[in-house]
Amino acid sequence: MTRETISAAGPHNPGRRNFLSAVGATVASLQTAACIRKPYEKILPYAERPEDLVPGEARHYATVWNVGGAVQGLLVRSTDGRPTKVDGNPNHPMTGGSTIWAQASVLSLYDPERSKEPVREGEGVSPDEAVGFLKKLPDEIGDGSGLAVVVPELPSPTADRLWEDIRAKYPKAELYRFDGAGTDHARAGAAMVGIEGAAWTTDGTPTVIAAFDADPIGTEGDTTAFTKAFAAGRDPNRKPAEANRLYVVEPHVSITGSNADHRMAVKGSEVGDFLAALAHHLKKGGLNVPTLDAPKDKLDSKFVKALAKDLLSRKRGSTIVMVGERQPAHVHALGFVLNEALGNFGKTLRFTKQGPTEVGALSDLVRRMNDGSVKQLVVMGSNPVYEAPADLNFGELFQKVPLTIHLGLYRDETGRLATWHIPQSHYLESWGDLRAREGTTAIQQPLVAPLYPSLSPIEFMARLTGAESKGYDLVRATHQGAISGGFDKRWQRWLHDGVVDVGQAPSFVPSVKTDGLAAAYKFRAERAQGLELAFVRDNAVLDGRFGNSPWLQELPDPITKIAWDNAAVVSPNTAEKIGVPNNLEQSSVRDTVMVDVSVGGETVRLPVWVQPGTAEDVVVLSLGYGRKHGGKFAKSGFDVNSLRTAESPYIRSGAKVTPTRKGYAVACMQPEASMHDRPIVRDATRGDFTDEPNFVEKFEVMDEDHVASLLWDEPEYTAEHQWALTIDLNSCVGCGSCTVACQAENNIPWVGKEDALKGREMHWIRIDRYFEPKHSDQVEVRYQPMACVQCETAPCENVCPVGATVHGPEGLNNMAYNRCIGTRYCSNNCPYKVRRFNFFHYTVRNDADYGMGIAMQRNPDVTVRYRGVMEKCTYCVQRINKARIHAKVNGDGIIPDGTVKTACQEACPADCITFGNIRDPDSKVSHTREDPRNYAVLSELNLRPRTTYLAKLTNPNPDLAEG
Amino acid sequence: MTHMFPRWTNHLPTAVAVGVPLLGVAVVLGVYYFFSPYYTDVGYEPTQPVPYSHALHAGEMGMDCRYCHNTVEYAAHAAVPPTSTCLNCHKYVKANSEKLSLVRQSGETGEPIPWVKIHQLPDYAYFNHSAHVGAGVGCVSCHGRVDQMEEVWLHEPLSMGWCLDCHRNPEPHLRPVSEVTNMAYDPVAAGYDPSEDPNRTREVNPPVHCAGCHR
Amino acid sequence: MDMRVSRDPVDRRPLLVNPPTDYNGVTEAVAAPIEWKTPMGWWIFFLVSAVFAAMYAGSTAYLIWEGTGIWGLNVPVAWGWAIVNFVFWVGIGHAGTLISAVLFLFRQKWRTSINRFSEAMTIFAVVCALSFPTIHVGRIWLLYWVFPVPNQMGAWPQFRSPLLWDVFAVSIYGTVSVLFWYTGLVPDLATMRDRVKSKVAKFAYGIFALGWTGSTRHWRHYETAYMLLAGLATPLVLSVHSVVSFDFAVSQLPGWHTTIFPPYFVAGAIFSGFGMVLTLMLVSRVIFKLEHIVTMHHLDNMAKVVLLTGMIVGYAYGMEFFIAWYGGNEYEMFAFINRAFGPYWWAYWSMVSCNVLIPQVLWFKTIRHNVAALFVLSIFVNIGMWFERYVIVITLSRDFLPSSWDMFYPTVWDWAALLGSFGLFFTLFSLFVRFLPMVAMAEVKSVMPESDPHHEPDETEAAKQPATATAGGAS
């Protein structure tokens, strides 16, 4: 049985012993029950061991991937040939930590529902047949007059080169771009003001950030890089003038909005008006901005006035105005104009020349499909049949095209309708190269040979031209020209570092032409009546492409805390108007009702959910759920694409919502949102902080000397390493990367919706989200990552009858899974409720759900837990042990500061987690613990937690100070 | 009344009162020993697919353990050698021996040789060879005189209690790092004192807390 | 309508109303239910109980197969009905030993009619109680780790854990109760041995009668042993439930971490124990025609104990709130306000009304002497005491960090375990009433007029106190 998996993984053998470890641990843990002869096991050594491979030892390789054009450099850990963990590559300019998607991507590699074989008209065929077909394809295409190729956002030099080849071979062929996470509106907006053939991204640490329906922290753009900069900009040590202040205008509560200093909840259709109003005030402030009419009420908005004043008061070129993809092109256009006027071009907004220019949009393609001029339609790595707005009615037209070819990781909705479906290689299986918006190129190198016969995007493009080159050669060919001589040495270094040190896309400062703008910027005189639908990219599954990842499905939404579902999210007042109960106010928060959301004759039935902070008369619908052919996990939730229109894909007015009698249970992972005035998340404004640096002490409920008395002997921690961890709430944005990273590192199972509903999630590190549900459209969100805090006087320890959880000499609250008999007393006595219990055999359930794949992903350094066992965070003790052994074998046994990084720390884009040895006064963590903002949650219990928090600082605009 | 029980039954209550507790103790001790690896595991000697003799290679020829188990000094696993290692010599030595057919076959086909695992810890116990070798714990301490074993058999119980015995008091089991693979070396006979050893940069303090081996 | 009234040798209170003419009469009366041809009613009762017991076994099997997740448990509420039932049954198990041992030491002769009965109940309750902590653990096959037995892991149980104290406290309590009960049984078993006809029965009773002949020497040893066991058992009455209460009191949860728990648990236990004794006794004495042995006088006494302990419990409820306020700990304060007015308010108020308010009616003699009323009341007490434990355990649902608050919803399997345990209890009980003398004949005889040294059979004596006779509540 191990044989298949070995051959499946290609030339490298995956680690046999470790592979067996992962699956066998459950068996093994039975052995403690009775000391009988251990099971009969084989050792299958390599016949020919690869030179660089040491059985059981992990190695890291650099690669790169992109989501909707956002390129991220990655470091992938591989154990015995199995990729087991993905993290950001620090060498890569666009990387700080990593996204939840990068973290989860390692699991998708092993997804048993990936497309495994080419399919012709619904029939699986042999790879050779597909190859044969592709060979003959060029003759069929001819001059390409009938050829249309739909590409995703693929900023790859090699792809660009190959596209030129395709152009050369088929001069009449047309290229179209479709990507559910793409930036069509932004491009169109840029085009309106004369910016073309460019990519752009934020740069530096802007001081004032005005996000108009933009979500740069969550779902749009180079999120990790931006988050890093954003967090840096909130550093308490910055001078007030340089400390950033985030203004957000949006209909739904986005992750960005939840971190705003000032947030205004407005209908998506009115965001543009506010931007126009801002333009007006900036013009008054002396900026060169075209006159645009804006509605009176928007002009009078206190918020906009204050924002304008703030923008003007800051250093020129130090601010930024961001417009979200949900907004139409003309709003983006104005966004560029304002940034240009504020002098942000080339400063906080960096432009680089890249990309083929003549690329059509999906609507253009549909026009051609209608008139039947498309004979061969190639769809690469996107899923328009599911994602395209319903009124394009893409699916039907797609079937009318004589020959359709789909290249995809899954045989998804599009793949099913295509004449030919060709399996696409996972990025961890492919050679390639990607150029970040900022300009740097990186080489994408595979960690395993393709698990199934498949083609990478560039290999596929090559096939279109009739070439059969391998990805490796294609990429090298692209870059060979870049340097003269010594290529192989450089190539090796590129692979090692994960970045190419030549051929940067040149940055430039475009000029904007504002003439067309006023015309384009016309407001519909009549304001839309009724409810407005806001379609948003989901914080977990984005546009649906990640729908089949159980990790992401179970990752609670940062704002609503909903897992495994999407819902019709409305504000409390709107809920009242609609006539549905406010589920937040009943004891069973999770029980809500189904509502019929209907617009333009289309109706979707889905559960309603109340979320304070949502704009009035707005119904927020997140995309990417309820997939028909996305896999068993992607089915969850409800497909809302049928309500969208191509003309305005993200905003639709005139909707009706009618409650039904049908109830529905939504797996909300944090039913209680209020802090009940307990000093859990402590915060202050920057002003108050400067006046009173020790403000955290004000929150204490019990005076120190009273707490300090212990009834029993002081625990003694004498080992040379004393581990501790601090979490800076001032930089945490609540994205959830740490949760997924922890899940990948520590073999944490998913429990599925049924158990999530019962409140049995297994996440070792969760992100607590608090707000006062009382407010309606205004909401202040507070995030607090919470994992085991490793109390020095841990209450969980003395109640365990078998001593399964006891302290180690280094201050860790150890958890011996194989000793646990599952009385659950420790969980009861844990005031932070961070212990997780295997109520069922979740591991085995996961195996059943996911096949052997999940076992391939599991980290061989961490025990796989058995049913009936308690588990929890131990500061990634496997990493500590590794470092300690290394230090002991090769030195004096002292682990230098920074050698051990916990999984959550590595993943955090905001860099808010610090881990280290407090015995060493110079360690980073020792310093953070001396920060005046440092405090322990529930300090009055005298548990002396090793995890402490740095209080949050807000930076409100005095002009907008409430009351 | 009629006597339905014979006279001797009068002693039954006493017998039971004394016997049952004794039985209990006996059962506990019985389980303690007969279900323990000392009894069930030690001496385990499965037949291997290839009749490889440690006694010949490590013993007579005096090959160093690390020639085959080459990762032992820097990795957790003392990797079982790939077939290629065997063939380094056996390409020339005994090239056509019947006994080695499986090895040659493996070398040609790339199919691994299915060795049977003998020293087997539960998967939740994480043992690291480099740590022990680095601290100067000899191979022989856990594996016995492999150099005298025709076919390798389990010499020690490898039970948790057995591990702890040494972890709680390692000194008697330590030797100069240079002597780690020397099967014949006896630290006691050699009068070795770790604290006197100039090559030791730090004192050996093996973990005795859970996370030392379980994670 | 001439009526003989036997007197309590100590305080001259009538103990048995219209008792059998002599010792043999008592024997006849008590042995009768065993010697009857098995009545239909018994079969029905037994089979129904057995079905429920089987349900318990079945649900437990599934539990062990599938995992504790089949119950409504979650984090934060990691203990559910299993622990509620455990504490509930342990509590029930108190009356037995109390009545037997403590009242025995206090020379409360009236106990003789009911002690056997309540001891049996105690043992069956403890059996049910022990079953719950056993099956509620995640990996039952490793449960033996809680016992300090030598092992190859060089690992020992952790003696700081209240759960471990439980293991010892409850098992010791169980053992002593069984010994106590059995010792008391020996003479009566001998009696049965001598009465029954069938060889098998004779043999069975014979074995357990341990060759009892009733010689003075036997009696002397018996009395001493009984006295010693009573002495042993008495402290256990206090210790076992105090230790059980430590499971909560030693933790640091708001609403659990309270010094009042031990006394309050013991009082509650006696309260619930007597409640259950009443329930069973009221039914059995009618069915098995024992009204003249278990008299109104006994019921009256038990009712008074219920009233008293009920008020102690009520005091504890009040005191908890006072301390929560007086202690000034905001978490503690919240916990109690949440108990009374939070999502589980209904559980709290059912507890208060069943345990404190309703028992107040026992101030009235008419109620104490109304069998039906007492029965209904005893049921309320049982329910109320179950809710008390539920209220305590469910406190888990809201502790320190609101982010981890969650609700507990029982599943069908929770119900199966609860009802099933009652099935187990009544199965054992029906077997008891069928095969063992449910009244301690020997002891009852000791309080009969005939055992009064100053007793001279005088037919007219009864006629002198018609009042007492009626006061005894003639049936």
Side-chain angles (χ1 to χ4, degrees), chain A residues 647-876:
Chain A
E647 179 257 346
S648 164
Y650 298 100
I651 299 166
R652 190 157 183 196
S653 308
K656 259 179 77 273
V657 175
T658 45
T660 71
R661 280 227 174 62
K662 204 159 162 298
Y664 188 87
V666 173
C668 169
M669 290 201 181
Q670 190 190 328
E672 181 60 41
S674 163
M675 225 179 302
H676 289 258
D677 307 323
R678 298 176 178 185
I680 298 167
V681 178
R682 307 182 182 181
D683 58 7
T685 64
R686 292 183 66 95
D688 298 351
F689 175 56
T690 25
D691 305 347
E692 192 181 9
N694 296 332
F695 71 94
V696 287
E697 289 163 13
K698 290 208 320 281
F699 289 83
E700 296 295 350
V701 296
M702 221 185 274
D703 57 281
E704 196 137 333
D705 45 346
H706 195 272
V707 175
S709 59
L710 272 185
L711 290 175
W712 53 87
D713 301 349
E714 292 283 332
E716 284 177 1
Y717 294 104
T718 50
E720 62 264 36
H721 301 105
Q722 293 302 329
W723 304 111
L725 184 144
T726 53
I727 300 179
D728 189 344
L729 299 177
N730 190 40
S731 31
C732 174
V733 294
C735 65
S737 293
C738 48
T739 307
V740 187
C742 179
Q743 199 159 13
E745 169 71 14
N746 293 303
N747 304 334
I748 299 172
W750 62 86
V751 300
K753 186 183 171 184
E754 280 316 301
D755 282 51
L757 270 173
K758 290 197 168 82
R760 296 171 177 175
E761 66 269 24
M762 297 296 285
H763 298 143
W764 284 3
I765 183 167
R766 64 172 195 259
I767 296 183
D768 291 346
R769 176 272 287 126
Y770 295 105
F771 52 74
E772 289 301 325
K774 311 287 164 291
H775 307 132
S776 178
D777 67 331
Q778 285 308 322
V779 70
E780 285 248 307
V781 181
R782 292 286 177 270
Y783 294 113
Q784 181 172 52
M786 182 58 73
C788 175
V789 296
Q790 319 289 341
C791 312
E792 286 184 1
T793 60
C796 52
E797 291 175 0
N798 60 332
V799 297
C800 175
V802 293
T805 181
V806 292
H807 247 82
E810 301 185 336
L812 293 188
N813 169 236
N814 296 333
M815 183 71 216
Y817 307 119
N818 43 304
R819 176 68 178 173
C820 177
I821 61 172
T823 67
R824 306 186 291 287
Y825 200 170
C826 52
S827 167
N828 289 347
N829 212 25
C830 171
Y832 306 90
K833 290 290 175 283
V834 286
R835 291 178 155 267
R836 300 303 186 190
F837 188 68
N838 290 272
F839 288 99
F840 289 117
H841 206 327
Y842 295 122
T843 307
V844 163
R845 289 187 172 192
N846 287 183
D847 293 345
D849 277 348
Y850 225 74
M852 274 304 122
I854 181 70
M856 301 273 277
Q857 181 277 327
R858 290 201 181 113
N859 179 357
D861 294 342
V862 178
T863 306
V864 175
R865 277 81 60 190
Y866 196 70
R867 183 245 293 174
V869 168
M870 192 63 72
E871 58 184 71
K872 70 167 191 71
C873 159
T874 49
Y875 282 169
C876 286

Side-chain angles (χ1 to χ4, degrees), chain C residues 115-183:
Chain C
N115 68 326
R116 167 74 41 78
F117 205 80
S118 26
E119 287 167 31
M121 187 201 70
T122 293
I123 289 154
F124 305 146
V126 170
V127 168
C128 295
L130 274 173
S131 69
F132 279 103
T134 309
I135 64 171
H136 106 294
V137 299
R139 299 201 293 172
I140 189 170
W141 50 92
L142 296 177
L143 195 59
Y144 70 95
W145 282 351
V146 301
F147 298 110
V149 289
N151 59 71
Q152 289 298 327
M153 297 165 286
W156 295 90
Q158 209 232 114
F159 293 95
R160 290 183 302 166
S161 167
L163 279 185
L164 203 70
W165 309 342
D166 262 11
V167 173
F168 296 115
V170 179
S171 49
I172 289 173
Y173 183 69
T175 321
V176 172
S177 307
V178 171
L179 283 176
F180 197 51
W181 181 63
Y182 178 61
T183 314

Side-chain angles (χ1 to χ4, degrees), chain C residues 108-116 439-440 443-444 446-447:
Chain C
Q108 293 296 311
K109 295 284 181 188
W110 59 275
R111 70 181 262 287
T112 54
S113 307
I114 56 169
N115 68 326
R116 167 74 41 78
V439 172
E443 297 202 36
V444 169
S446 72
V447 302

Side-chain angles (χ1 to χ4, degrees), chain C residues 13-28:
Chain C
R13 270 183 291 127
L15 270 179
L16 310 176
V17 177
N18 194 5
T21 50
D22 54 6
Y23 287 165
N24 178 52
V26 175
T27 315
E28 292 294 341

Side-chain angles (χ1 to χ4, degrees), chain C residues 168-425:
Chain C
F168 296 115
V170 179
S171 49
I172 289 173
Y173 183 69
T175 321
V176 172
S177 307
V178 171
L179 283 176
F180 197 51
W181 181 63
Y182 178 61
T183 314
L185 261 171
V186 169
D188 292 359
L189 286 172
T191 317
M192 294 315 298
R193 174 196 61 198
D194 304 342
R195 288 178 59 92
V196 290
K197 305 276 168 296
S198 94
K199 264 228 138 318
V200 185
K202 225 178 196 18
F203 184 76
Y205 286 119
I207 285 186
F208 291 103
L210 299 177
W212 175 271
T213 60
S215 71
T216 320
R217 201 151 144 276
H218 280 178
W219 274 112
R220 208 174 69 247
H221 289 162
Y222 168 86
E223 298 285 356
T224 329
Y226 201 78
M227 175 66 79
L228 286 175
L229 283 169
L232 258 179
T234 308
L236 289 177
V237 177
L238 303 177
S239 73
V240 67
H241 223 52
S242 304
V243 172
V244 168
S245 78
F246 291 162
D247 288 347
F248 307 100
V250 169
S251 84
Q252 62 161 5
L253 266 105
W256 279 20
H257 183 58
T258 333
T259 47
I260 199 176
F261 265 24
Y264 150 34
F265 266 51
V266 172
I270 296 164
F271 181 61
S272 65
F274 270 81
M276 186 57 91
V277 176
L278 267 177
T279 314
L280 300 172
M281 185 63 83
L282 288 166
V283 180
S284 329
R285 71 192 279 274
V286 176
I287 293 178
F288 302 106
K289 316 222 167 9
L290 297 171
E291 288 95 339
H292 53 296
I293 295 176
V294 183
T295 65
M296 271 305 158
H297 174 53
H298 296 106
L299 305 186
D300 186 81
N301 283 359
M302 289 197 276
K304 284 176 182 159
V305 177
V306 169
L307 178 58
L308 172 69
T309 49
M311 278 161 33
I312 298 178
V313 169
Y315 165 81
Y317 298 159
M319 189 46 71
E320 281 186 320
F321 269 81
F322 171 73
I323 294 299
W325 165 78
Y326 184 71
N329 178 325
E330 67 178 73
Y331 301 108
E332 194 76 8
M333 235 180 296
F334 175 86
F336 282 94
I337 291 167
N338 184 56
R339 265 185 197 176
F341 308 108
Y344 290 99
W345 60 271
W346 47 270
Y348 182 80
W349 292 111
S350 348
M351 165 185 94
V352 171
S353 32
C354 291
N355 295 349
V356 185
L357 304 183
I358 297 176
Q360 296 312 315
V361 299
L362 291 174
W363 287 105
F364 303 102
K365 188 164 188 178
T366 46
I367 304 282
R368 295 205 299 273
H369 285 231
N370 177 331
V371 175
L374 277 180
F375 182 76
V376 174
L377 180 110
S378 69
I379 298 295
F380 272 120
V381 171
N382 295 332
I383 296 173
M385 283 313 287
W386 189 88
F387 267 113
E388 177 187 301
R389 279 58 176 257
Y390 183 65
V391 166
I392 291 171
V393 168
I394 210 64
T395 307
L396 282 168
S397 61
R398 293 187 164 189
D399 65 344
F400 294 95
L401 297 187
S403 62
S404 53
W405 291 359
D406 210 335
M407 300 286 289
F408 169 87
Y409 300 103
T411 66
V412 53
W413 299 105
D414 287 293
W415 284 103
L418 172 59
L419 301 177
S421 65
F422 275 92
L424 174 60
F425 180 78

